[in-house]
Short mmCIF file of all heavy atoms in Angstrom, two decimals:
data_model
loop_
_atom_site.label_atom_id
_atom_site.label_comp_id
_atom_site.label_asym_id
_atom_site.label_seq_id
_atom_site.Cartn_x
_atom_site.Cartn_y
_atom_site.Cartn_z
N LEU A 1 0.83 -1.20 0.00
CA LEU A 1 0.00 0.00 0.00
C LEU A 1 0.87 1.25 0.00
O LEU A 1 0.56 2.24 -0.68
CB LEU A 1 -0.92 0.01 1.22
CG LEU A 1 -1.83 1.23 1.34
CD1 LEU A 1 -2.97 1.15 0.33
CD2 LEU A 1 -2.40 1.37 2.75
N GLN A 2 1.96 1.21 0.75
CA GLN A 2 2.85 2.36 0.86
C GLN A 2 3.85 2.45 -0.29
O GLN A 2 4.13 3.54 -0.79
CB GLN A 2 3.62 2.30 2.19
CG GLN A 2 4.64 3.40 2.37
CD GLN A 2 5.39 3.28 3.69
OE1 GLN A 2 5.20 2.32 4.43
NE2 GLN A 2 6.25 4.24 3.98
N SER A 3 4.36 1.33 -0.74
CA SER A 3 5.47 1.35 -1.69
C SER A 3 5.03 1.49 -3.14
O SER A 3 5.80 1.97 -3.98
CB SER A 3 6.32 0.08 -1.53
OG SER A 3 5.54 -1.07 -1.84
N GLN A 4 3.82 1.07 -3.45
CA GLN A 4 3.37 1.05 -4.84
C GLN A 4 2.63 2.32 -5.21
O GLN A 4 1.90 2.90 -4.40
CB GLN A 4 2.44 -0.16 -5.04
CG GLN A 4 1.94 -0.33 -6.45
CD GLN A 4 1.24 -1.66 -6.64
OE1 GLN A 4 1.77 -2.56 -7.30
NE2 GLN A 4 0.04 -1.80 -6.08
N CYS A 5 2.80 2.76 -6.46
CA CYS A 5 2.01 3.87 -6.99
C CYS A 5 0.64 3.34 -7.43
O CYS A 5 0.54 2.25 -8.00
CB CYS A 5 2.71 4.49 -8.20
SG CYS A 5 3.70 5.94 -7.78
N TRP A 6 -0.40 4.12 -7.18
CA TRP A 6 -1.76 3.75 -7.52
C TRP A 6 -2.32 4.77 -8.51
O TRP A 6 -2.29 5.97 -8.25
CB TRP A 6 -2.64 3.70 -6.27
CG TRP A 6 -2.13 2.72 -5.25
CD1 TRP A 6 -1.27 2.99 -4.22
CD2 TRP A 6 -2.40 1.33 -5.21
NE1 TRP A 6 -1.02 1.83 -3.52
CE2 TRP A 6 -1.70 0.80 -4.10
CE3 TRP A 6 -3.20 0.47 -5.97
CZ2 TRP A 6 -1.76 -0.55 -3.76
CZ3 TRP A 6 -3.26 -0.87 -5.64
CH2 TRP A 6 -2.54 -1.37 -4.54
N THR A 7 -2.82 4.29 -9.64
CA THR A 7 -3.34 5.17 -10.70
C THR A 7 -4.83 5.42 -10.49
O THR A 7 -5.60 4.49 -10.25
CB THR A 7 -3.12 4.53 -12.09
OG1 THR A 7 -1.73 4.26 -12.27
CG2 THR A 7 -3.60 5.47 -13.18
N VAL A 8 -5.24 6.69 -10.59
CA VAL A 8 -6.65 7.05 -10.49
C VAL A 8 -7.33 6.71 -11.81
O VAL A 8 -6.96 7.22 -12.86
CB VAL A 8 -6.81 8.55 -10.16
CG1 VAL A 8 -8.29 8.92 -10.09
CG2 VAL A 8 -6.11 8.90 -8.86
N THR A 9 -8.34 5.83 -11.76
CA THR A 9 -8.98 5.34 -12.98
C THR A 9 -10.17 6.23 -13.37
O THR A 9 -10.71 6.98 -12.55
CB THR A 9 -9.48 3.90 -12.79
OG1 THR A 9 -10.57 3.90 -11.86
CG2 THR A 9 -8.37 3.01 -12.25
N PRO A 10 -10.63 6.10 -14.64
CA PRO A 10 -11.76 6.91 -15.10
C PRO A 10 -13.08 6.58 -14.39
O PRO A 10 -14.04 7.33 -14.53
CB PRO A 10 -11.85 6.57 -16.60
CG PRO A 10 -10.49 6.09 -16.97
CD PRO A 10 -9.97 5.38 -15.76
N GLN A 11 -13.16 5.48 -13.66
CA GLN A 11 -14.38 5.14 -12.94
C GLN A 11 -14.52 5.93 -11.64
O GLN A 11 -15.49 5.75 -10.90
CB GLN A 11 -14.41 3.64 -12.61
CG GLN A 11 -14.59 2.74 -13.82
CD GLN A 11 -13.36 2.67 -14.71
OE1 GLN A 11 -12.23 2.64 -14.21
NE2 GLN A 11 -13.58 2.64 -16.02
N SER A 12 -13.59 6.82 -11.36
CA SER A 12 -13.63 7.62 -10.13
C SER A 12 -14.68 8.71 -10.23
O SER A 12 -14.98 9.22 -11.31
CB SER A 12 -12.25 8.25 -9.88
OG SER A 12 -11.26 7.24 -9.77
N ASN A 13 -15.24 9.09 -9.07
CA ASN A 13 -16.27 10.12 -9.02
C ASN A 13 -16.38 10.66 -7.60
O ASN A 13 -15.46 10.46 -6.79
CB ASN A 13 -17.62 9.58 -9.52
CG ASN A 13 -18.02 8.29 -8.81
OD1 ASN A 13 -17.68 8.07 -7.64
ND2 ASN A 13 -18.71 7.42 -9.51
N ARG A 14 -17.48 11.32 -7.28
CA ARG A 14 -17.64 11.89 -5.94
C ARG A 14 -17.79 10.81 -4.87
O ARG A 14 -17.55 11.07 -3.70
CB ARG A 14 -18.86 12.83 -5.91
CG ARG A 14 -18.61 14.21 -6.50
CD ARG A 14 -19.86 15.09 -6.36
NE ARG A 14 -20.37 15.08 -5.02
CZ ARG A 14 -19.99 15.91 -4.05
NH1 ARG A 14 -19.05 16.81 -4.29
NH2 ARG A 14 -20.53 15.83 -2.85
N VAL A 15 -18.20 9.62 -5.25
CA VAL A 15 -18.30 8.54 -4.27
C VAL A 15 -16.91 8.11 -3.83
O VAL A 15 -16.67 7.86 -2.63
CB VAL A 15 -19.06 7.34 -4.86
CG1 VAL A 15 -19.09 6.18 -3.87
CG2 VAL A 15 -20.48 7.76 -5.22
N GLY A 16 -15.98 8.00 -4.76
CA GLY A 16 -14.64 7.60 -4.38
C GLY A 16 -13.70 7.53 -5.57
O GLY A 16 -14.13 7.52 -6.73
N LEU A 17 -12.40 7.50 -5.27
CA LEU A 17 -11.38 7.29 -6.28
C LEU A 17 -11.15 5.80 -6.42
O LEU A 17 -10.76 5.12 -5.45
CB LEU A 17 -10.06 7.97 -5.89
CG LEU A 17 -10.07 9.49 -5.73
CD1 LEU A 17 -8.67 9.99 -5.37
CD2 LEU A 17 -10.57 10.18 -6.99
N ARG A 18 -11.40 5.27 -7.59
CA ARG A 18 -11.09 3.86 -7.86
C ARG A 18 -9.67 3.80 -8.37
O ARG A 18 -9.33 4.40 -9.39
CB ARG A 18 -12.08 3.28 -8.87
CG ARG A 18 -13.50 3.20 -8.30
CD ARG A 18 -14.44 2.46 -9.23
NE ARG A 18 -15.75 2.35 -8.62
CZ ARG A 18 -16.13 1.34 -7.84
NH1 ARG A 18 -15.27 0.36 -7.58
NH2 ARG A 18 -17.34 1.30 -7.31
N LEU A 19 -8.84 3.06 -7.63
CA LEU A 19 -7.41 3.04 -7.88
C LEU A 19 -6.99 1.71 -8.50
O LEU A 19 -7.60 0.67 -8.24
CB LEU A 19 -6.63 3.28 -6.58
CG LEU A 19 -7.03 4.54 -5.80
CD1 LEU A 19 -6.28 4.61 -4.48
CD2 LEU A 19 -6.76 5.79 -6.64
N ALA A 20 -5.92 1.74 -9.29
CA ALA A 20 -5.39 0.53 -9.91
C ALA A 20 -3.88 0.48 -9.67
O ALA A 20 -3.17 1.45 -9.94
CB ALA A 20 -5.69 0.50 -11.40
N GLY A 21 -3.42 -0.65 -9.16
CA GLY A 21 -1.99 -0.87 -8.96
C GLY A 21 -1.54 -2.10 -9.70
O GLY A 21 -2.34 -2.99 -10.02
N GLU A 22 -0.24 -2.17 -9.98
CA GLU A 22 0.30 -3.32 -10.72
C GLU A 22 0.06 -4.62 -9.96
O GLU A 22 -0.25 -5.66 -10.55
CB GLU A 22 1.79 -3.12 -10.96
CG GLU A 22 2.43 -4.21 -11.79
CD GLU A 22 3.90 -3.96 -12.05
OE1 GLU A 22 4.39 -2.86 -11.71
OE2 GLU A 22 4.57 -4.87 -12.56
N ILE A 23 0.18 -4.59 -8.63
CA ILE A 23 -0.02 -5.77 -7.80
C ILE A 23 -1.19 -5.50 -6.87
O ILE A 23 -1.16 -4.54 -6.10
CB ILE A 23 1.24 -6.10 -6.98
CG1 ILE A 23 2.45 -6.25 -7.90
CG2 ILE A 23 1.03 -7.37 -6.15
CD1 ILE A 23 3.76 -6.41 -7.15
N PRO A 24 -2.26 -6.30 -6.90
CA PRO A 24 -3.39 -6.08 -5.99
C PRO A 24 -3.02 -6.41 -4.55
O PRO A 24 -2.06 -7.13 -4.29
CB PRO A 24 -4.46 -7.04 -6.53
CG PRO A 24 -3.71 -8.09 -7.26
CD PRO A 24 -2.48 -7.43 -7.81
N LEU A 25 -3.81 -5.89 -3.62
CA LEU A 25 -3.58 -6.13 -2.19
C LEU A 25 -4.20 -7.47 -1.80
O LEU A 25 -5.40 -7.68 -1.99
CB LEU A 25 -4.18 -5.00 -1.36
CG LEU A 25 -3.63 -3.59 -1.65
CD1 LEU A 25 -4.36 -2.55 -0.80
CD2 LEU A 25 -2.13 -3.54 -1.39
N ALA A 26 -3.40 -8.35 -1.22
CA ALA A 26 -3.86 -9.68 -0.84
C ALA A 26 -4.35 -9.69 0.60
O ALA A 26 -3.77 -9.05 1.48
CB ALA A 26 -2.73 -10.70 -1.01
N ARG A 27 -5.44 -10.43 0.83
CA ARG A 27 -6.01 -10.51 2.16
C ARG A 27 -5.48 -11.72 2.90
O ARG A 27 -5.27 -12.78 2.33
CB ARG A 27 -7.53 -10.57 2.08
CG ARG A 27 -8.11 -9.23 1.75
CD ARG A 27 -9.57 -9.10 1.76
NE ARG A 27 -10.35 -9.90 2.65
CZ ARG A 27 -11.68 -9.91 2.60
NH1 ARG A 27 -12.30 -9.19 1.68
NH2 ARG A 27 -12.38 -10.66 3.44
N ALA A 28 -5.29 -11.55 4.21
CA ALA A 28 -4.92 -12.65 5.09
C ALA A 28 -6.16 -13.36 5.60
O ALA A 28 -6.13 -14.56 5.86
CB ALA A 28 -4.08 -12.15 6.27
N GLN A 29 -7.26 -12.61 5.75
CA GLN A 29 -8.53 -13.17 6.17
C GLN A 29 -9.51 -13.10 5.00
O GLN A 29 -9.75 -12.02 4.46
CB GLN A 29 -9.11 -12.42 7.36
CG GLN A 29 -8.31 -12.56 8.65
CD GLN A 29 -9.09 -12.05 9.85
OE1 GLN A 29 -10.27 -12.33 9.98
NE2 GLN A 29 -8.42 -11.32 10.73
N LEU A 30 -10.07 -14.25 4.64
CA LEU A 30 -10.97 -14.31 3.50
C LEU A 30 -12.43 -14.38 3.91
O LEU A 30 -13.31 -14.49 3.06
CB LEU A 30 -10.62 -15.52 2.62
CG LEU A 30 -9.19 -15.52 2.06
CD1 LEU A 30 -8.96 -16.77 1.23
CD2 LEU A 30 -8.92 -14.26 1.24
N ALA A 31 -12.69 -14.32 5.23
CA ALA A 31 -14.07 -14.39 5.71
C ALA A 31 -14.85 -13.16 5.27
O ALA A 31 -14.28 -12.14 4.87
CB ALA A 31 -14.08 -14.49 7.23
N GLU A 32 -16.19 -13.26 5.32
CA GLU A 32 -17.05 -12.13 4.98
C GLU A 32 -17.12 -11.18 6.17
O GLU A 32 -17.43 -11.59 7.28
CB GLU A 32 -18.44 -12.62 4.61
CG GLU A 32 -19.34 -11.54 4.06
CD GLU A 32 -20.65 -12.10 3.52
OE1 GLU A 32 -20.63 -12.73 2.45
OE2 GLU A 32 -21.69 -11.93 4.18
N LEU A 33 -16.81 -9.92 5.92
CA LEU A 33 -16.82 -8.92 6.99
C LEU A 33 -18.24 -8.40 7.19
O LEU A 33 -18.87 -7.93 6.24
CB LEU A 33 -15.90 -7.75 6.63
CG LEU A 33 -15.82 -6.59 7.63
CD1 LEU A 33 -15.06 -7.04 8.88
CD2 LEU A 33 -15.13 -5.37 7.00
N PRO A 34 -18.78 -8.46 8.42
CA PRO A 34 -20.10 -7.85 8.65
C PRO A 34 -20.05 -6.36 8.33
O PRO A 34 -19.03 -5.70 8.53
CB PRO A 34 -20.34 -8.09 10.14
CG PRO A 34 -19.44 -9.23 10.51
CD PRO A 34 -18.23 -9.09 9.63
N SER A 35 -21.16 -5.83 7.83
CA SER A 35 -21.21 -4.40 7.49
C SER A 35 -20.81 -3.55 8.67
O SER A 35 -21.18 -3.83 9.82
CB SER A 35 -22.62 -4.02 7.03
OG SER A 35 -22.94 -4.65 5.82
N GLU A 36 -20.02 -2.51 8.41
CA GLU A 36 -19.64 -1.58 9.47
C GLU A 36 -19.51 -0.17 8.90
O GLU A 36 -19.40 0.01 7.68
CB GLU A 36 -18.35 -2.01 10.16
CG GLU A 36 -17.16 -2.20 9.27
CD GLU A 36 -16.00 -2.88 10.00
OE1 GLU A 36 -16.25 -3.66 10.93
OE2 GLU A 36 -14.84 -2.62 9.64
N GLY A 37 -19.56 0.82 9.79
CA GLY A 37 -19.51 2.21 9.36
C GLY A 37 -18.22 2.55 8.65
O GLY A 37 -17.16 2.02 8.97
N THR A 38 -18.33 3.43 7.66
CA THR A 38 -17.15 3.89 6.92
C THR A 38 -17.04 5.40 7.03
O THR A 38 -18.04 6.11 7.12
CB THR A 38 -17.23 3.49 5.44
OG1 THR A 38 -18.43 4.03 4.87
CG2 THR A 38 -17.22 1.98 5.28
N ALA A 39 -15.81 5.88 7.01
CA ALA A 39 -15.54 7.32 7.14
C ALA A 39 -15.09 7.88 5.80
O ALA A 39 -14.56 7.16 4.95
CB ALA A 39 -14.46 7.56 8.20
N ARG A 40 -15.29 9.16 5.61
CA ARG A 40 -14.73 9.83 4.44
C ARG A 40 -13.20 9.68 4.49
O ARG A 40 -12.57 9.92 5.52
CB ARG A 40 -15.12 11.30 4.45
CG ARG A 40 -14.66 12.08 3.24
CD ARG A 40 -15.22 13.48 3.27
NE ARG A 40 -14.80 14.28 2.14
CZ ARG A 40 -15.18 15.52 1.89
NH1 ARG A 40 -16.03 16.10 2.72
NH2 ARG A 40 -14.75 16.18 0.84
N GLY A 41 -12.62 9.26 3.39
CA GLY A 41 -11.19 9.02 3.34
C GLY A 41 -10.81 7.56 3.53
O GLY A 41 -9.64 7.19 3.35
N ALA A 42 -11.79 6.70 3.85
CA ALA A 42 -11.51 5.28 4.05
C ALA A 42 -11.01 4.65 2.76
O ALA A 42 -11.51 4.93 1.67
CB ALA A 42 -12.77 4.56 4.54
N ILE A 43 -10.01 3.77 2.88
CA ILE A 43 -9.48 3.04 1.73
C ILE A 43 -10.02 1.61 1.85
O ILE A 43 -9.48 0.78 2.58
CB ILE A 43 -7.94 3.05 1.72
CG1 ILE A 43 -7.42 4.50 1.74
CG2 ILE A 43 -7.41 2.33 0.49
CD1 ILE A 43 -5.92 4.62 2.00
N GLN A 44 -11.10 1.35 1.14
CA GLN A 44 -11.76 0.05 1.20
C GLN A 44 -11.21 -0.84 0.09
O GLN A 44 -10.97 -0.37 -1.02
CB GLN A 44 -13.28 0.22 1.06
CG GLN A 44 -14.07 -1.03 1.37
CD GLN A 44 -15.56 -0.81 1.17
OE1 GLN A 44 -16.03 -0.66 0.05
NE2 GLN A 44 -16.31 -0.81 2.26
N VAL A 45 -11.03 -2.12 0.40
CA VAL A 45 -10.43 -3.04 -0.56
C VAL A 45 -11.41 -4.17 -0.89
O VAL A 45 -11.64 -5.06 -0.06
CB VAL A 45 -9.11 -3.63 -0.03
CG1 VAL A 45 -8.45 -4.50 -1.11
CG2 VAL A 45 -8.16 -2.52 0.40
N PRO A 46 -12.01 -4.15 -2.09
CA PRO A 46 -12.92 -5.22 -2.50
C PRO A 46 -12.13 -6.48 -2.88
O PRO A 46 -10.89 -6.47 -2.86
CB PRO A 46 -13.62 -4.61 -3.71
CG PRO A 46 -12.66 -3.60 -4.25
CD PRO A 46 -11.90 -3.07 -3.07
N PRO A 47 -12.82 -7.56 -3.24
CA PRO A 47 -12.12 -8.80 -3.57
C PRO A 47 -11.07 -8.68 -4.68
O PRO A 47 -10.12 -9.47 -4.73
CB PRO A 47 -13.26 -9.73 -4.00
CG PRO A 47 -14.44 -9.24 -3.25
CD PRO A 47 -14.28 -7.75 -3.20
N SER A 48 -11.21 -7.70 -5.57
CA SER A 48 -10.23 -7.52 -6.64
C SER A 48 -8.85 -7.13 -6.11
O SER A 48 -7.85 -7.28 -6.82
CB SER A 48 -10.70 -6.45 -7.62
OG SER A 48 -10.73 -5.17 -6.98
#
């Protein structure tokens, strides 16, 4: 997350910046996360 550059993609808008990196972020926990509150500025990582 810190070392890689992330490109802002054309799918970005007021909801959020959709970012693309050469190497995706891998999860250590693959369980389904129960819904929880999100803050402006949150960096959320979907399955991709």
Side-chain angles (χ1 to χ4, degrees):
L1 179 74
Q2 176 181 5
S3 63
Q4 182 170 252
C5 264
W6 301 92
T7 303
V8 179
T9 69
Q11 290 72 39
S12 302
N13 51 32
R14 281 182 50 88
V15 177
L17 298 181
R18 294 187 177 271
L19 307 175
E22 183 178 352
I23 305 173
L25 300 177
R27 285 185 32 187
Q29 293 193 43
L30 300 179
E32 188 172 287
L33 179 71
S35 293
E36 57 191 29
T38 58
R40 183 174 179 177
I43 304 169
Q44 191 182 70
V45 185
S48 67

